[in-house]
Amino acid sequence: MKLFEQSLNILQSGVMILDQELSITFINQWLDNAFIHPYPLQDKKLLEVFPELADQRIHQCIQQALEQGLPSILSPGLNQAPLPLCHKCNCIHDNGEQSVFAQMIRIQPMEQNDQRYCMLEIQDVSTMMRREKLLNEQAEKLNRMALTDELTGIANRRHFNGLLEKAVNQTIQQNQPMSLIFFDIDFFKPFNDNLGHQAGDQCLARITRQLSSELESSGFHLARYGGEEFCIIMPDTEPEQASRMAECYRNHVEQLSISHPASKISDVVTASFGVAGFRAGQTDTFTGLILKADNALYRAKTSGRNRVVLSGKT
Amino acid sequence: MKDLSALELDALSEIFNISVGRSAAVLSELTGESVGMSVPMVHILSPERVVDLFGFSQEKLTCISQYFSGAFSGEAMLMFPERSSLEVVRLMLGSQVPLEQLSEIEQDALSEIGNIILNACFAAIADMLQGSFSCNLPEMRVAEIDQILAQSGQKQSVLFLQIQLSLEERNLEGYLAFLMGGESENMLQNALSSFLNGVS
């Protein structure tokens, strides 16, 4: 018996046995040290020492083990530190507060000489919690990076595909209209050749910055489709309305007055817009919508640039 | 055993509805989200029939199980399609983890969620049987339905319940299964009929 008790006392996790009066019949060294409490807890009543535990989930689980013989687990994800336990060496912060560590607790009923007891097994899982937090942050960062265009900070083409699919599904489900705009900077290659790639990058970044805040606040999504081509997903918007808004955006780009010495149609940077609509119940498809918008953009280009063309209108 | 009557099945589903309703309240308090749970139907099926009905999709299930022993013995399981289990635990933890598998924290949390629901059912069954049985801590595994039921081994029938879970405007479906061993099924039936006699 002595050997068992010795081993429990050198165990690097907590063990505590409570009787039906919630008296601490046994507590091992590790746990007694971890409790934020000035004196040893052996034979003390749990709720008298820690009245704040009354009616908490841990108390309910202990009662359930003692009264109904049912075991419970309290996981660190759902329970923020059920017991006041801390690392003695570094638990006092500069502000004088003690930091309680994350715990995994298992509560199991036991029986001896017709007496019900329950055993609490407590692990310090703060290292695991820290590791998973780090892992999640990394995963989120990678996820964000995989969906963002590095230069402009807006959605990239991969993200665009996902966003458009979602919007199309929503349009079908809720029987709403939706529109898609493709736009492209006029004479962008000559702009780059003339002023250099850095100026080209800056030009794209300025235009997206100008448009993105305005678009996001209306619930529209701006994405970089590739090179100097961009698209705007507009849920719950009729194509005629989208066309009018595209005219505003076209105007905004022109108003930025970014000097463009190599443009054949203006002194400043301009853009051409193609607009297409999608309505649930039509034979339209996801790909069909992209093709229609792209085709409208092509017609805007061939008919003189710096203009908006609505698909289906001649 | 003879088949349970419609009345007995109704009584069982009433009892389980109260149990899962209680555990929904515990989960709501624990997570700060509004959690609703109900059991629309109770079935008694053979394990083969369960595999028949649910094995077609080949989707893996996340299963939290607790063994129970004593006069009433067997294994109790709470199962969710793997994808729903990710959703359940992330809605409850309020997290936005982009990983495709359960993290360690999520596995533990899901075990606890299962533990809460299963314990509420055990408490109701013990109440009905007016006797107690002992029961183990929950274990979690991810497998297909036939693998999960194959581990039960012996020929026995399964008390099978659908669980409807509503969480933040999402409706998710899970299953509760009790694999009953030996005399457990007869015990349950006897307890049910005396329960019903006591009521009427």
Side-chain angles (χ1 to χ4, degrees), chain A residues 57 64 68 70-75 77-79 104 106-108 128-129 131-132 135-136 139-140 143, chain B residues 30-31 66 93 96-99 103-105 108-109 111-113 115-116 119 122-123 132 135-138:
Chain A
R57 173 152 158 75
Q64 201 174 37
Q68 296 170 311
L70 293 169
S72 295
I73 64 172
L74 278 80
S75 69
L78 289 172
N79 302 272
M104 173 75 186
R106 294 178 176 82
I107 301 173
Q108 297 192 72
M128 174 191 79
M129 296 294 278
R131 191 177 61 227
E132 287 216 358
L135 186 73
N136 284 346
E140 259 166 52
N143 216 27
Chain B
L30 196 57
T31 59
Q66 282 181 253
L93 290 177
Q96 276 294 327
V97 190
L99 302 173
S103 73
E104 210 173 330
I105 293 175
D108 288 341
S111 295
E112 180 173 355
I113 292 164
N115 180 229
I116 289 169
N119 272 0
F122 283 133
S132 64
C135 140
N136 290 0
L137 282 168

Side-chain angles (χ1 to χ4, degrees), chain A residues 1 13 41 71 83 97 120 122 148 190 198 222 235 256 263 313:
Chain A
M1 244 1 210
S13 56
L41 289 168
L83 293 172
E97 264 181 41
L120 280 75
I122 297 131
T148 310
Q198 215 172 351
L222 175 64
L256 281 173
S263 171
K313 291 263 167 76

Side-chain angles (χ1 to χ4, degrees), chain B residues 53-121:
Chain B
L53 289 174
F54 295 91
F56 60 88
S57 64
Q58 301 253 301
E59 193 186 355
K60 285 194 172 168
L61 298 167
T62 304
C63 170
I64 304 114
S65 71
Q66 282 181 253
Y67 287 95
F68 51 95
S69 56
F72 187 62
S73 67
E75 185 183 3
M77 304 184 268
L78 174 69
M79 296 176 279
F80 290 105
E82 192 179 11
R83 214 184 290 216
S84 314
S85 67
L86 289 172
E87 210 171 338
V88 168
V89 77
R90 283 175 193 162
L91 286 171
M92 292 218 191
L93 290 177
S95 68
Q96 276 294 327
V97 190
L99 302 173
E100 279 168 25
Q101 284 186 336
L102 289 167
S103 73
E104 210 173 330
I105 293 175
E106 291 171 335
Q107 285 187 26
D108 288 341
L110 201 57
S111 295
E112 180 173 355
I113 292 164
N115 180 229
I116 289 169
I117 296 171
L118 293 173
N119 272 0
C121 296

Side-chain angles (χ1 to χ4, degrees), chain A residues 9-300:
Chain A
N9 270 326
I10 57 173
L11 198 66
Q12 290 305 297
S13 56
V15 175
M16 173 163 76
I17 299 172
L18 302 174
D19 70 9
Q20 271 174 311
E21 269 73 55
L22 266 53
S23 285
I24 300 171
T25 309
F26 173 81
I27 180 165
N28 76 343
Q29 202 78 56
W30 185 92
L31 188 57
D32 214 3
N33 284 339
F35 262 113
I36 302 174
H37 193 67
Y39 51 84
L41 289 168
Q42 177 80 42
D43 297 324
K44 300 285 180 303
K45 286 199 167 162
L46 186 68
L47 289 185
E48 280 173 15
V49 188
F50 304 108
E52 69 274 18
L53 296 180
D55 296 325
Q56 297 291 312
R57 173 152 158 75
I58 185 154
H59 181 207
Q60 290 163 359
C61 290
I62 290 169
Q63 292 297 354
Q64 201 174 37
L66 290 170
E67 284 161 19
Q68 296 170 311
L70 293 169
S72 295
I73 64 172
L74 278 80
S75 69
L78 289 172
N79 302 272
Q80 206 148 30
L83 293 172
L85 304 175
C86 76
H87 304 117
K88 280 287 139 64
C89 44
N90 56 3
C91 76
I92 305 203
H93 286 291
D94 298 337
N95 58 13
E97 264 181 41
Q98 293 180 311
S99 80
V100 175
F101 63 68
Q103 304 149 29
M104 173 75 186
I105 302 182
R106 294 178 176 82
I107 301 173
Q108 297 192 72
M110 292 166 57
E111 229 175 84
Q112 196 180 43
N113 306 330
D114 283 336
Q115 284 284 318
R116 267 272 171 78
Y117 297 88
C118 84
M119 184 187 82
L120 280 75
E121 181 190 341
I122 297 131
Q123 281 169 294
D124 171 5
V125 289
S126 48
T127 317
M128 174 191 79
M129 296 294 278
R130 263 201 303 279
R131 191 177 61 227
E132 287 216 358
K133 189 164 163 260
L134 207 66
L135 186 73
N136 284 346
E137 283 168 2
Q138 293 287 336
E140 259 166 52
K141 197 169 147 198
L142 287 174
N143 216 27
R144 252 199 324 275
M145 277 165 63
L147 297 174
T148 310
D149 175 59
E150 203 181 351
L151 171 66
T152 58
I154 62 174
N156 63 13
R157 185 163 172 170
R158 179 184 297 155
H159 198 179
F160 164 76
N161 285 333
L163 287 170
L164 185 63
E165 202 182 327
K166 226 163 102 181
V168 165
N169 286 338
Q170 193 188 327
T171 298
I172 294 170
Q173 267 171 24
Q174 305 181 354
N175 197 22
Q176 290 167 338
M178 76 162 278
S179 299
L180 178 66
I181 297 177
F182 265 43
F183 71 93
D184 182 301
I185 314 300
D186 296 326
F187 301 110
F188 191 66
K189 191 176 179 304
F191 182 95
N192 267 335
D193 292 345
N194 205 279
L195 300 173
H197 281 278
Q198 215 172 351
D201 285 354
Q202 276 169 8
C203 166
L204 296 181
R206 267 192 77 184
I207 290 172
T208 51
R209 215 171 31 241
Q210 171 71 29
L211 294 181
S212 65
S213 56
E214 183 182 346
L215 288 166
E216 293 301 328
S217 62
S218 348
F220 302 153
H221 304 288
L222 175 64
R224 187 174 179 194
Y225 199 68
E228 71 274 25
E229 201 173 346
F230 296 89
C231 32
I232 304 169
I233 302 171
M234 309 169 95
D236 199 12
T237 308
E238 296 283 359
E240 288 74 20
Q241 190 193 347
S243 184
R244 282 194 296 277
M245 303 191 77
E247 185 54 38
C248 292
Y249 306 146
R250 189 204 57 75
N251 197 27
H252 287 166
V253 173
E254 202 170 13
Q255 296 293 312
L256 281 173
S257 303
I258 304 168
S259 170
H260 191 339
S263 171
K264 290 182 186 158
I265 55 160
S266 171
D267 297 335
V268 295
V269 170
T270 55
S272 305
F273 290 71
V275 184
F278 180 93
R279 183 167 269 291
Q282 290 181 345
T283 49
D284 263 347
T285 60
F286 175 87
T287 322
L289 178 61
I290 294 179
L291 287 174
K292 274 200 312 190
D294 190 52
N295 187 265
L297 170 59
Y298 177 77
R299 283 194 285 133

